[in-house]
Amino acid sequence: NITISAAATKNYKAATTTVEVEVLKANPEYTKPTGLVATYGQTLGNITLPTGFSWTNETTTSVGNAGDNTFTVIYTPSDTDNYNVIEDIEVIVAVAKKALTITGSSHNLTYGDDVPVIEVTYDGFVNSEDHSVLTGTKGATTTYVKYSSIGTYEVIPNVLTSANYDITYENGSITVGKQAIAETDVTLEYTEASFTGSALTPTVTVV
């Protein structure tokens, strides 16, 4: 309360009165958070805000798709008796793509084997997602065919695209080893010869 007094004058008596003054809270000064970053699949709870700030949404809220996404925060000053809490402050969260690795399958074969079932595996999906969120032809290719020579052949994953995943690729391999030959797989053909008194050289052919 404030007391106001007026002195007497020639025409007026002295007077005193009391008035009530309401002091409103002031808006605090603050610096809006910038440089907020996250990765696809994370939540707001994974982002650290400066002191005094909190998210308007629950911290379990997804940061959304890759790109710049807008959210709101609340600023609570340390002196809430004299300063207002400021709500609905818009901030930008830069969401990066999630790393995803696609790997071709590997196989050990013996010369003459059929082409195996070529597959790929995925490492890095989030939000219970799978290869269905990727664009392109799934699978892999190889130059190996039946009766290819002994050696190693790459299994190369097909190139895919995604708005939310940063994809890297790792090749698999097909390693072809020698085929063992069993005795039962060998047939000998020879030409009969009669002794003539001189040394003979027999002819033997492996079939």
Side-chain angles (χ1 to χ4, degrees), residues 54-178:
S54 59
W55 296 104
T56 302
N57 299 97
E58 296 291 333
T59 56
T60 55
T61 301
S62 169
V63 297
N65 293 327
D68 289 343
N69 298 324
T70 302
F71 295 91
T72 59
V73 296
I74 301 168
Y75 178 67
T76 304
S78 57
D79 180 7
T80 54
D81 291 333
N82 295 305
Y83 292 93
N84 291 315
V85 173
I86 306 300
E87 300 182 349
D88 297 326
I89 304 168
E90 289 192 349
V91 295
I92 301 297
V93 176
V95 181
K97 291 184 177 184
K98 174 72 170 61
L100 175 70
T101 302
I102 302 178
T103 304
S105 56
S106 292
H107 310 264
N108 291 314
L109 304 181
T110 300
Y111 175 75
D113 284 350
D114 292 329
V115 178
V117 177
I118 302 300
E119 299 176 321
V120 294
T121 56
Y122 304 88
D123 182 24
F125 282 122
V126 292
N127 300 334
S128 300
E129 294 177 336
D130 58 24
H131 61 80
S132 63
V133 301
L134 306 179
T135 301
T137 303
K138 284 75 174 181
T141 59
T142 183
T143 58
Y144 173 79
V145 295
K146 188 173 183 178
Y147 297 117
S148 287
S149 299
I150 293 168
T152 301
Y153 301 82
E154 288 187 318
V155 174
I156 304 174
N158 295 336
V159 175
L160 304 176
T161 59
S162 170
N164 291 315
Y165 291 96
D166 184 14
I167 305 173
T168 57
Y169 303 88
E170 292 185 3
N171 294 344
S173 63
I174 295 177
T175 302
V176 181
K178 293 182 177 181

